[in-house]
Amino acid sequence: MPKNSKAVKRELDDDVTESVRDLLSNEDACDDSFKKSSLIVDSPEGEGKECDVEEGASDGEEEERPAWNSKLQYILAQVGFSVGLGNVWRFPYLCQKNGGGAYLVPYLILLILIGIPLFFLELAVGQRIRRGSIGVWNYISPRLGGIGFASCVVCFFVALYYNVIISWSLFYFSQSFQQPLPWHECPLVKNKTNVVPECEKSSATTYYWYREALDISNSISEGGGLNWKMTVCLLAAWSMVCLAMIKGIQSSGKVMYFSSLFPYVVLICFLVRALLLKGSIDGIRHMFTPKLEIMLEAKVWREAATQVFFALGLGFGGVIAFSSYNKRDNNCHFDAVLVSFINFFTSVLATLVVFAVLGFKANIMNSKCVALNTNKIVALLGSDIEWSLIPHHINLTQVSQVTAEDYHQMIQIIKGVKEDEYPKLGLQSCSIEDELNQAVQGTGLAFIAFTEAMTHFPASPFWSVMFFLMLINLGLGSMFGTIEGILTPLIDTFKFDTRGVRPAESRLCVAVGCCVLAFSIGLLFVQRSGNYFVTMFDDYSATLPLLIVVVLENVAIAWFYGIDKFFEDLRDMLGFTPYRFYYYMWKYITPILLLLLLCASFIQLTMTPPSYSAWIQEEAVEKTLHFPPWGIAVCISLVVMAMMPVPVVFCLRYFNIIDENTSGLSTVSYKKGRVIKESPRPEDDDDASLIHGKTPSEAPSPMPGKSIYRKQSGGGGTEVDTAPNGRYGIGYLMADMPDIPESDFVGEDCVLFNKSMKAKPSHDLTNNQ
């Protein structure tokens, strides 16, 4: 535009001023809306018509992005995802192993230093950008866009074997409706009166788990064919997940009311019932007796950090996916603190329940041990043991009345008198502490130790049904978040909708396709050697890849995107500035701690040869075996495949094989409820357009008859619309030009941009405000 054309300049300035004022006047009316924005556009005939510009929509035709029906539903979804099977069968084991009650101290410290800051970070980026993990990290830094794809791959690997655990719980649940429970006692050999040798050498619950449920082979190399019972249960498990996910949060959110709350009902009922049983207090006392010297060991802190990391579901993408359906002004800081501490107190509650039940079981086992060894003493009286060594108040004629205290008193006297000969007598110490020190975790706790304890409960079928129904719900809650961490970024990114297909139908196709594929691959885990593959995937498909993913997430925000810019985003989104504590955590402390944890985990994996615990049928014992060469190759492949997207996407962006500025991902800006779609950066010869896929002539104007874009003269006297930098533009910073506040758009001194200036993409979450 000629510099001396004051009349034209004033007319254009008036147009811009009026348009901006019209937009600002509607700002208050949009405060409560966050799902869509209504823009009034000009039709070719000059008639104004309303067009909804929605998140992810290309032509205003798609449906708006789903949203949580209530804050409670969202909190329950996050709690259901973070509180899983690990809280019940991993945390109590770590407490017992790492100093009892003293373990809670390093766990709480690391929860504050690692858990809450990273959980808050994932909630914030998901809520701000309103995309799945792929879209979020591509928007933050296109070269680090592979982080989102890596999260999806890890989620898929975890979902493959996690649902197998749910299928095991379904099998035990279906077998719990009988009295007595089928694992109550060892079965007899067919057509004979003697007990099955494998069961006699182990125990009834151990035999039932390995032989009746899994029908396990002796090694991973012996496939053994499919276990049809577990195949049916796996099909049922994937069917439940699929039905809950086909409509997204609209369907899974309703399921959360039951799947997230029911486990707490069961845990409380179990705790009350267990406290009424003999020996439960012994278990709780053992649990909370602190061993302070163990706290000085580095291994304790490493295991506590790992548990914090996995307990909150960091890096999976489920946290980001769930928060992406939130309102823009939701207080995600409160959510992060609330869910983190709910997770912690759930772990403590589960630990109380586990050790109360294990204390009861230890008391039962100790009573059996006392009776067995008292009979041994009676048999040795008069030969190896003199009658004079037995205290007079102990009546050995009625063995069932001999208490643990009486037995220990006899043992001390016999040991003191026959010190040299005592080991040959074969008498056991029969200590409750020894029983409780037999640490069990994972499937050993849920399907062997706990099931054995429940056989001694009054009304044992009822408690068995409740317990395995709780495990199913805990597993499903985590599975919903894991699958959402796959579906949301895929649907947001690749736009599986085809012409004539509604978004709901396209999501159904993607969800069903994902579940069918996962079930097909999951058949690997329900063959006779399937349990060994579950161990392999659990150890190698998630640990290192997830740690690397979260390290990159933290670095991407703190150093690539900019921690100061991120704090501005949070202040704009939350209405207040978060504590300065998070600034130093995200920028310095948390990355350093994560790198230390990553190095420690890597060293542990490399120093420990890949191995698994195999059940040897003939000997009825567990033995540690090393993976065969092909098994080691699979372990390495799992880690490599999970992390491969990160360097691949980085190289594609870095060498411009895929243009860093044309990612194919549209993004959405949110300003007090208003949604303005941002299109990928156009080529230099193309004209910027508010609606992706429209030419400037076709693109609707935000206001009837007005344009918020400055018209500039182009070659040949043709005027084109270019988007100015600022709140209402398409979000690109002009080269070497500062951000322009709202006030700069109003008045005669409005800045004019030359079309020849090249646009530089901005990845600012605040939309360059």
Side-chain angles (χ1 to χ4, degrees):
M1 184 174 61
K3 293 183 180 179
N4 58 356
S5 183
K6 294 184 179 179
V8 175
K9 179 179 184 296
R10 184 178 299 108
E11 180 182 355
L12 292 175
D13 286 342
D14 291 340
D15 287 347
V16 173
T17 302
E18 182 177 355
S19 296
V20 172
R21 284 174 176 170
D22 288 338
L23 283 173
L24 293 175
S25 66
N26 293 329
E27 186 162 310
D28 292 337
C30 297
D31 283 346
D32 296 329
S33 172
F34 68 96
K35 297 179 181 177
K36 65 180 181 179
S37 171
S38 296
L39 300 181
I40 308 300
V41 300
D42 287 336
S43 63
E45 293 80 8
E47 297 176 0
K49 64 180 180 179
E50 188 172 304
C51 177
D52 290 343
V53 181
E54 290 140 3
E55 190 273 326
S58 58
D59 297 318
E61 297 173 355
E62 297 184 15
E63 297 177 1
E64 62 188 36
R65 187 176 184 84
W68 298 104
N69 291 333
S70 66
K71 181 66 174 285
L72 176 61
Q73 189 180 88
Y74 164 68
I75 292 296
L76 290 178
Q78 290 287 14
V79 169
F81 175 53
S82 65
V83 175
L85 297 173
N87 296 76
V88 174
W89 67 29
R90 175 71 177 168
F91 187 87
Y93 162 77
L94 291 175
C95 278
Q96 179 185 20
K97 178 184 174 185
N98 296 316
Y103 174 76
L104 300 179
V105 175
Y107 186 87
L108 264 178
I109 292 174
L110 292 170
L111 178 66
I112 294 172
L113 296 181
I114 294 180
I116 295 177
L118 290 175
F119 196 61
F120 180 26
L121 184 147
E122 290 200 355
L123 289 178
V125 295
Q127 179 175 311
R128 182 65 178 182
I129 303 175
R130 291 175 65 84
R131 283 290 188 275
S133 55
I134 296 177
V136 162
W137 300 112
N138 189 80
Y139 186 67
I140 294 295
S141 175
R143 292 185 180 181
L144 294 179
I147 296 174
F149 288 97
S151 292
C152 286
V153 173
V154 173
C155 276
F156 187 72
F157 285 161
V158 171
L160 288 177
Y161 74 85
Y162 204 87
N163 221 21
V164 175
I165 301 175
I166 297 177
S167 69
W168 294 341
S169 301
L170 281 171
F171 174 76
Y172 269 80
F173 173 75
S174 66
Q175 299 298 309
S176 297
F177 295 91
Q178 47 188 305
Q179 175 71 25
L181 292 170
W183 50 85
H184 176 71
E185 57 185 5
C186 287
L188 300 177
V189 179
K190 289 184 179 180
N191 302 322
K192 294 185 180 180
T193 58
N194 57 313
V195 175
V196 174
E198 185 181 2
C199 185
E200 189 175 17
K201 294 176 183 177
S202 54
S203 67
T205 52
T206 304
Y207 171 82
Y208 192 87
W209 165 241
Y210 283 119
R211 192 54 49 210
E212 296 294 336
L214 299 181
D215 192 18
I216 200 166
S217 60
N218 285 353
S219 71
I220 194 173
S221 301
E222 302 175 21
L226 291 178
N227 181 340
W228 70 268
K229 292 179 289 188
M230 288 304 169
T231 303
V232 172
C233 291
L234 182 64
L235 178 62
W238 274 114
S239 299
M240 290 191 296
V241 172
C242 186
L243 290 173
M245 301 306 298
I246 53 177
K247 291 186 178 180
I249 62 171
Q250 304 299 331
S251 55
S252 64
K254 294 179 175 62
V255 179
M256 289 296 178
Y257 285 110
F258 180 77
S259 65
S260 296
L261 293 177
F262 181 74
Y264 291 95
V265 176
V266 176
L267 285 175
I268 293 172
C269 291
F270 258 99
L271 181 61
V272 173
R273 184 68 190 91
L275 289 176
L276 299 176
L277 297 173
K278 183 181 179 181
S280 59
I281 301 300
D282 294 328
I284 295 176
R285 186 187 301 115
H286 176 83
M287 160 62 212
F288 285 104
T289 301
K291 305 176 183 66
L292 298 178
E293 66 280 0
I294 299 182
M295 286 181 57
L296 301 177
E297 298 179 10
K299 181 182 178 182
V300 174
W301 291 82
R302 179 181 62 80
E303 292 189 342
T306 304
Q307 178 63 16
V308 167
F309 182 83
F310 288 105
L312 294 175
L314 301 173
F316 282 95
V319 174
I320 294 176
F322 279 152
S323 65
S324 71
Y325 298 110
N326 260 336
K327 284 187 176 182
R328 176 187 176 277
D329 59 352
N330 175 64
N331 189 347
C332 55
H333 174 256
F334 172 79
D335 299 342
V337 176
L338 177 64
V339 174
S340 297
F341 279 101
I342 287 177
N343 187 292
F344 171 71
F345 288 118
T346 303
S347 298
V348 174
L349 174 62
T351 302
L352 287 172
V353 172
V354 167
F355 275 90
V357 173
L358 292 183
F360 165 70
K361 173 179 173 286
N363 193 275
I364 295 290
M365 300 304 293
N366 191 61
S367 299
K368 290 182 177 180
C369 179
V370 168
L372 178 63
N373 284 271
T374 301
N375 285 325
K376 286 184 180 181
I377 292 176
V378 172
L380 294 172
L381 284 175
S383 56
D384 295 321
I385 300 177
E386 294 79 13
W387 278 97
S388 59
L389 298 180
I390 306 300
H392 297 293
H393 69 278
I394 300 177
N395 183 9
L396 292 182
T397 58
Q398 294 181 338
V399 175
S400 60
Q401 295 183 0
V402 177
T403 64
E405 291 76 11
D406 294 338
Y407 174 74
H408 291 147
Q409 187 177 356
M410 289 190 295
I411 288 295
Q412 291 299 324
I413 296 173
I414 295 172
K415 186 183 294 185
V417 174
K418 298 182 175 291
E419 186 174 352
D420 297 332
E421 302 174 9
Y422 181 79
K424 299 178 182 178
L425 299 178
L427 298 176
Q428 297 174 312
S429 60
C430 294
S431 170
I432 290 181
E433 292 295 320
D434 293 340
E435 288 287 340
L436 290 172
N437 282 330
Q438 295 177 7
V440 288
Q441 64 166 325
T443 55
L445 174 65
F447 299 107
I448 298 177
F450 230 81
T451 51
E452 184 173 354
M454 285 186 296
T455 58
H456 303 289
F457 275 33
S460 56
F462 169 78
W463 294 105
S464 182
V465 168
M466 295 286 282
F467 176 72
F468 289 110
L469 188 57
M470 178 190 72
L471 290 187
I472 292 168
N473 280 276
L474 285 173
L476 287 176
S478 297
M479 274 298 296
F480 294 156
T482 303
I483 298 299
E484 197 66 55
I486 301 172
L487 299 182
T488 297
L490 289 181
I491 293 172
D492 285 348
T493 303
F494 296 106
K495 307 299 180 189
F496 286 99
D497 314 81
T498 57
R499 189 174 299 275
V501 179
R502 291 180 299 177
E505 295 174 352
S506 69
R507 181 184 175 93
L508 185 148
C509 294
V510 177
V512 171
C514 179
C515 291
V516 169
L517 176 63
F519 169 74
S520 302
I521 300 175
L523 294 176
L524 173 71
F525 303 100
V526 291
Q527 57 180 338
R528 291 186 60 198
S529 61
N531 187 46
Y532 306 138
F533 286 97
V534 170
T535 302
M536 176 191 290
F537 272 67
D538 191 31
D539 290 340
Y540 294 96
S541 70
T543 306
L544 273 182
L546 277 181
L547 282 172
I548 296 172
V549 164
V550 176
V551 168
L552 292 176
E553 287 181 358
N554 197 164
V555 170
I557 289 293
W559 295 97
F560 283 80
Y561 181 74
I563 195 67
D564 295 312
K565 196 186 301 183
F566 189 56
F567 257 67
E568 292 177 5
D569 299 338
L570 292 175
R571 182 171 60 251
D572 178 70
M573 184 169 64
L574 302 177
F576 63 88
T577 303
Y579 299 113
R580 200 66 179 173
F581 163 82
Y582 292 105
Y583 182 94
Y584 297 107
M585 288 295 105
W586 286 328
K587 193 167 186 179
Y588 304 110
I589 307 299
T590 305
I592 292 174
L593 292 177
L594 286 174
L595 286 174
L596 290 175
L597 179 59
L598 177 62
C599 293
S601 300
F602 181 78
I603 292 172
Q604 183 197 22
L605 285 178
T606 54
M607 295 293 290
T608 306
S611 60
Y612 62 100
S613 182
W615 178 257
I616 309 302
Q617 181 176 4
E618 294 75 20
E619 303 175 24
V621 294
E622 287 185 338
K623 285 188 176 180
T624 300
L625 302 179
H626 295 297
F627 284 113
W630 64 265
I632 296 176
V634 173
C635 294
I636 297 174
S637 300
L638 289 174
V639 178
V640 172
M641 283 191 294
M643 293 314 305
M644 187 60 69
V646 175
V648 168
V649 172
F650 181 86
C651 292
L652 291 176
R653 302 286 196 199
Y654 183 80
F655 294 106
N656 291 324
I657 299 175
I658 295 179
D659 189 356
E660 189 172 324
N661 303 323
T662 55
S663 63
L665 294 174
S666 60
T667 56
V668 175
S669 300
Y670 290 83
K671 181 64 181 174
K672 293 188 178 180
R674 186 168 52 258
V675 182
I676 296 180
K677 179 164 181 180
E678 300 183 45
S679 301
R681 177 187 173 185
E683 298 296 332
D684 292 340
D685 294 334
D686 295 337
D687 296 323
S689 175
L690 183 65
I691 308 299
H692 182 56
K694 296 282 188 179
T695 62
S697 60
E698 295 172 336
S701 172
M703 300 301 295
K706 303 292 181 182
S707 173
I708 65 169
Y709 293 169
R710 172 81 52 178
K711 290 187 177 182
Q712 299 180 1
S713 60
T718 304
E719 291 188 342
V720 295
D721 290 348
T722 59
N725 182 44
R727 295 176 185 265
Y728 306 105
I730 58 173
Y732 296 130
L733 279 172
M734 306 307 290
D736 303 322
M737 293 296 294
D739 289 343
I740 302 174
E742 285 178 1
S743 58
D744 291 345
F745 286 101
V746 185
E748 295 185 359
D749 295 328
C750 184
V751 180
L752 301 179
F753 295 110
N754 192 295
K755 182 188 176 185
S756 63
M757 300 178 69
K758 293 184 178 180
K760 181 173 68 175
S762 168
H763 307 293
D764 187 349
L765 292 178
T766 58
N767 214 25
N768 304 324
Q769 296 180 39

